[in-house]
Amino acid sequence: MTDAISISNAQLRFGETVALDGVSLSIRRGTCFGIVGESGSGKTTLMRAILGLQRLDHGEIRILCNPLVHSRAALKQRAGFIQPIFQDPAASLSPRSRIRTLMNEVGTVLREPHAATRERLGVILNRLGLPPGVIDKYPHEISGGQARRVAIARALLMKPSILIADEPTAGLDVSVQGDLLNLLQDIRRSDNITLVVISHNLAIVRLIAENAVVMRAGKVVEGGEIGSLFGSPQEVYTRDLLAAWPSIRAANTKR
Amino acid sequence: MAISLRNLSVDYSLQQGTAHALRGVSLEIQEGEMLGLVGESGSGKSTVALALMGLLANNAQVTSGTATIEGKNFDLTKRNATAALRGRGMAMIFQDPMLSLNPVFTIGAQLCEVLRRRAPGSDRKTRVEMAQDALAKVKLSNPARRMNQYPHELSGGMRQRVVIAMALLSEPALLIADEPTTALDVTVEAQIMREIIGLRDRIGCAVLLITHSLGLVTEYCDAISVLYAGEKLESGTVEEVQRQPGHPYTRMLFDCEVPIDRQRHADASENRFTVIAGELPDPRLRPPGCIFNSRCDVSFEDCTTINPSDYPVRNDAGHSARCLRLRTP
Ligand SMILES: Nc1ncnc2c1ncn2[C@@H]1O[C@H](COP(=O)(O)OP(=O)(O)O)[C@@H](O)[C@H]1O
Ligand SMILES: Nc1ncnc2c1ncn2[C@@H]1O[C@H](COP(=O)(O)OP(=O)(O)O)[C@@H](O)[C@H]1O
Ligand SMILES: [Mg+2]
Ligand SMILES: [Mg+2]
């Protein structure tokens, strides 16, 4: 099976801060890959590098076997097969345009007639459980959960083969978090998408990903198949992370 | 001495209408115990804390409610009802520690100020020693150096430790912690929770832990109260409520929680997650019957018309829930 994303020895500094310190990993096509780690460990920076929004100091990133090229044309072309869902959905939705405008832009990028984009959009909105009227709203008029769905709808409209989501459930109540995760699971199954999920929620990553890496201070501390990574972690840091996780224990075994 | 809050109702006036954020909420916390107050965002958890502290926004009105703290009664409908307790009888830890810290004063100056208010007669040298000692107690590294640092020089977790040290010095009868670890990493969260427990054990105060995480509640709390759309639906010991939730909403909340050791399907894409369909009702217009009726999976005819009172669960005096299914015929 070919790799959707492969990264070798990615290095990047911001002044004194080493944001990425020799990260290497590969993500197989059609799988879900988790990136976990404490805040400041370099997860978002890695995502931005994968999207070509952030140049590396050293190292190489290949998307679907092609090396990342940093030109406007390449960036635009890449948008056709790799799509981000940023942590703050409002940041990816322009505050002054209605959601409709945002969606129409997709048609322009894909050089698709507006009518065709609109028809696909109708199907996607329906599938994400968003009311059709949502496209006439401004980003501030919708709830956090809805904003995240709109960001996903927009990403899906681009027909990507790789979806990369930064903390997709952060700030959501448990009652709606499951809905979003089920949705991502459905999309994976029906569209055979490669899904990269960045999250500090170990319990969730453990359930949706096949493989994962644990990052700390710009380095991959440990990585591998999720069952063995979480079942028998080799590194002290991974063990500490798992031990700190507040867990619902069976009521009768408590204390 | 137990802390109690009885029949708290709070309204917020909006441009259009009035939001009834809390309706008749009562809580009880035993001395030396930690009560977890849980509920979805918007359920009114912070409003409970702010009403107790007397820190509600200007458009808020307490329409009913009394509190008993250190054996004294307070009428919460009066402005500044608990002012005498702020910084002495009660202390609060917010999600954002900067709400409790002043950016222009050093850590040491702020801790000493707490002591000066608490024990006006003490001399400066004693206060500095006590402040430094408090920083050591909450395991802040290098306490002597921290005394001369400003809040912005510390990380989020370190700042939260300073706020806990401040609470420690004020020796409150009630400590309220509103999502104290939500912005922190799991490893730091565990440390901060341990410091809060440590503080409680040192001064024997009651703690109200406000959180949306049932994981934290089952791990650290003695008792739990469940808030939904401004109403308390269930309360009891963590053990009892977890073993047999009396309200369908509580059961559904527990079902939504994702344990780190949940059974995992070999094909990861087959793993599904639990959802509570529907949304919180409009706080301006309470539907008749049970407040949770529209989202309940076991509701029946009576639920649309009868607002359930508090029924004991399994004849346990300390465990009750507001569900008509608990009625005894
Ligand atoms: N644009 C930037 N300028 C300077 N430092 C940055 C920038 N972006 C990230 N950093 C730093 O790089 C490190 C990694 O950050 P980030 O990738 O956001 O971590 P994470 O997403 O894991 O929380 C942090 O120390 C952060 O402060
Ligand atoms: N200052 C305010 N003005 C108007 N409505 C408010 C104000 N503060 C809170 N609310 C409303 O009161 C309800 C309860 O809010 P809050 O106590 O913050 O809930 P929680 O802490 O459980 O998320 C929500 O519907 C919220 O929108
Ligand atoms: Mg990040
Ligand atoms: Mg709150």
Side-chain angles (χ1 to χ4, degrees):
Chain A
M1 218 187 291
T2 53
D3 285 341
I5 299 172
S6 67
I7 301 173
S8 68
N9 192 29
Q11 296 186 28
L12 177 65
R13 312 180 124 219
F14 294 108
E16 292 287 283
T17 313
V18 183
L20 297 176
D21 192 1
V23 173
S24 299
L25 53 85
S26 57
I27 301 173
R28 271 185 294 131
R29 282 181 87 154
T31 64
C32 176
F33 191 88
I35 301 176
V36 302
E38 63 193 15
S39 52
S41 58
K43 306 183 296 297
T44 299
T45 303
L46 187 64
M47 167 171 174
R48 292 177 49 83
I50 291 170
L51 291 165
L53 300 174
Q54 180 68 62
R55 274 171 198 269
L56 296 176
D57 295 340
H58 292 285
E60 192 188 46
I61 296 180
R62 286 171 175 266
I63 311 288
L64 299 170
C65 301
N66 301 309
L68 208 63
V69 179
H70 286 274
S71 68
R72 280 189 72 84
L75 199 69
K76 226 171 184 177
Q77 194 201 6
R78 237 177 356 253
F81 50 84
I82 180 163
Q83 276 289 317
I85 300 166
F86 288 108
Q87 169 158 16
D88 180 6
S92 47
L93 308 174
S94 159
R96 270 165 300 153
S97 0
R98 285 182 208 275
I99 289 156
R100 173 193 299 283
T101 316
L102 203 85
M103 299 295 181
N104 284 341
E105 283 166 11
V106 173
T108 313
V109 173
L110 292 180
R111 295 180 195 200
E112 183 183 49
H114 276 327
T117 314
R118 221 166 302 144
E119 193 182 319
R120 288 197 301 118
L121 180 61
V123 175
I124 293 172
L125 291 180
N126 184 29
R127 181 157 153 221
L128 301 199
L130 283 165
V134 78
I135 59 171
D136 292 317
K137 303 220 159 138
Y138 288 94
H140 70 264
E141 294 177 314
I142 58 178
S143 72
Q146 275 194 337
R148 218 153 287 188
R149 275 160 199 276
V150 166
I152 295 176
R154 183 180 141 95
L156 289 180
L157 204 54
M158 292 293 293
K159 301 193 253 187
S161 58
I162 305 170
L163 206 54
I164 172 162
D166 196 359
E167 300 283 1
T169 61
L172 296 183
D173 281 306
V174 278
S175 56
V176 289
Q177 150 191 302
D179 205 19
L180 192 93
L181 292 170
N182 288 339
L183 182 69
L184 289 176
Q185 294 280 56
D186 289 343
I187 292 167
R188 248 182 96 189
R189 290 162 69 98
S190 58
D191 299 16
N192 192 30
I193 272 177
T194 307
L195 182 63
V196 183
V197 174
I198 295 172
S199 179
H200 66 269
N201 193 321
L202 304 173
I204 285 174
V205 168
R206 179 179 162 271
L207 289 174
I208 64 174
E210 275 94 15
N211 298 283
V213 287
V214 178
M215 286 187 65
R216 187 184 204 187
K219 285 194 172 73
V220 169
V221 173
E222 187 170 5
E225 190 273 317
I226 209 99
S228 52
L229 180 64
F230 283 43
S232 49
Q234 300 301 303
E235 296 295 324
V236 175
Y237 180 64
T238 313
R239 268 181 248 148
D240 285 351
L241 268 188
L242 287 167
W245 195 254
S247 52
I248 303 260
R249 305 211 178 99
N252 43 13
T253 62
K254 207 190 159 235
R255 276 181 259 238
Chain B
M1 219 175 292
I3 303 270
S4 75
L5 171 68
R6 280 175 309 277
N7 197 30
L8 178 64
S9 300
V10 177
D11 285 352
Y12 286 108
S13 53
L14 307 173
Q15 265 168 359
Q16 286 165 346
T18 303
H20 306 290
L22 293 175
R23 280 178 245 100
V25 171
S26 299
L27 303 173
E28 184 136 340
I29 317 172
Q30 303 306 320
E31 191 178 316
E33 290 204 338
M34 181 161 351
L35 171 71
L37 181 62
V38 301
E40 285 165 83
S41 45
S43 58
K45 304 181 298 295
S46 294
T47 303
V48 169
L50 298 174
L52 276 167
M53 294 293 292
L55 296 174
L56 285 169
N58 285 330
N59 64 331
Q61 173 146 33
V62 179
T63 58
S64 73
T66 52
T68 308
I69 298 163
E70 293 189 299
K72 294 192 206 73
N73 292 323
F74 300 91
D75 177 358
L76 297 176
T77 62
K78 301 223 166 76
R79 286 245 163 227
N80 290 321
T82 56
L85 292 174
R86 237 177 288 155
R88 299 177 74 114
M90 277 194 296
M92 180 146 173
I93 304 174
F94 295 93
Q95 176 177 333
D96 178 1
M98 287 312 286
L99 288 175
S100 313
L101 298 173
N102 191 325
V104 302
F105 292 116
T106 61
I107 303 300
Q110 302 189 50
L111 291 170
C112 288
E113 174 60 20
V114 172
L115 284 167
R116 207 181 52 77
R117 256 181 292 157
R118 171 132 199 107
S122 61
D123 67 295
R124 211 189 98 79
K125 189 161 162 287
T126 319
R127 289 201 294 264
V128 170
E129 272 166 21
M130 285 175 74
Q132 202 168 311
D133 182 50
L135 289 179
K137 280 189 180 130
V138 298
K139 306 214 179 63
L140 197 65
S141 57
N142 212 339
R145 191 171 137 241
R146 304 290 173 215
M147 291 286 284
N148 299 314
Q149 285 185 311
Y150 290 88
H152 70 87
E153 297 176 66
L154 309 183
S155 71
M158 284 153 80
R159 284 180 201 153
Q160 205 60 298
R161 279 176 205 267
V162 172
V163 175
I164 297 173
M166 279 169 84
L168 189 63
L169 290 174
S170 71
E171 295 185 36
L174 173 63
L175 174 70
I176 302 174
D178 190 355
E179 310 267 6
T181 60
T182 304
L184 304 173
D185 286 312
V186 271
T187 47
V188 185
E189 171 174 82
Q191 292 159 8
I192 293 294
M193 284 311 300
R194 252 175 266 135
E195 295 319 325
I196 292 177
I197 296 272
L199 178 153
R200 179 197 66 180
D201 293 344
R202 268 204 186 89
I203 57 187
C205 63
V207 183
L208 176 61
L209 176 72
I210 293 175
T211 175
H212 59 267
S213 162
L214 280 172
L216 281 188
V217 171
T218 56
E219 193 138 345
Y220 300 104
C221 292
D222 305 289
I224 176 174
S225 285
V226 181
L227 206 57
Y228 178 78
E231 297 184 18
K232 191 184 76 174
L233 296 185
E234 179 157 7
S235 56
T237 63
V238 169
E239 244 167 319
E240 287 301 319
V241 172
Q242 194 184 352
R243 181 169 351 199
Q244 188 176 30
H247 203 286
Y249 179 57
T250 313
R251 164 176 50 78
M252 288 160 98
L253 271 186
F254 271 101
D255 286 348
C256 283
E257 209 63 31
V258 185
I260 193 84
D261 53 358
R262 197 183 107 176
Q263 187 74 30
R264 190 173 173 274
H265 210 282
D267 175 356
S269 71
E270 293 273 352
N271 289 311
R272 306 301 291 182
F273 298 85
T274 312
V275 178
I276 305 178
E279 280 165 28
L280 286 175
D282 186 338
R284 289 170 298 186
L285 199 73
R286 191 198 186 285
C290 169
I291 185 85
F292 187 61
N293 178 49
S294 65
R295 299 172 81 178
C296 187
D297 56 356
V298 292
S299 70
F300 57 105
E301 231 180 288
D302 281 357
C303 302
T304 60
T305 54
I306 303 172
N307 187 1
S309 50
D310 216 10
Y311 300 104
V313 181
R314 292 211 303 187
N315 294 321
D316 178 347
H319 182 190
S320 63
R322 286 177 53 201
C323 176
L324 291 178
R325 291 188 170 266
L326 298 169
R327 261 186 318 195
T328 37

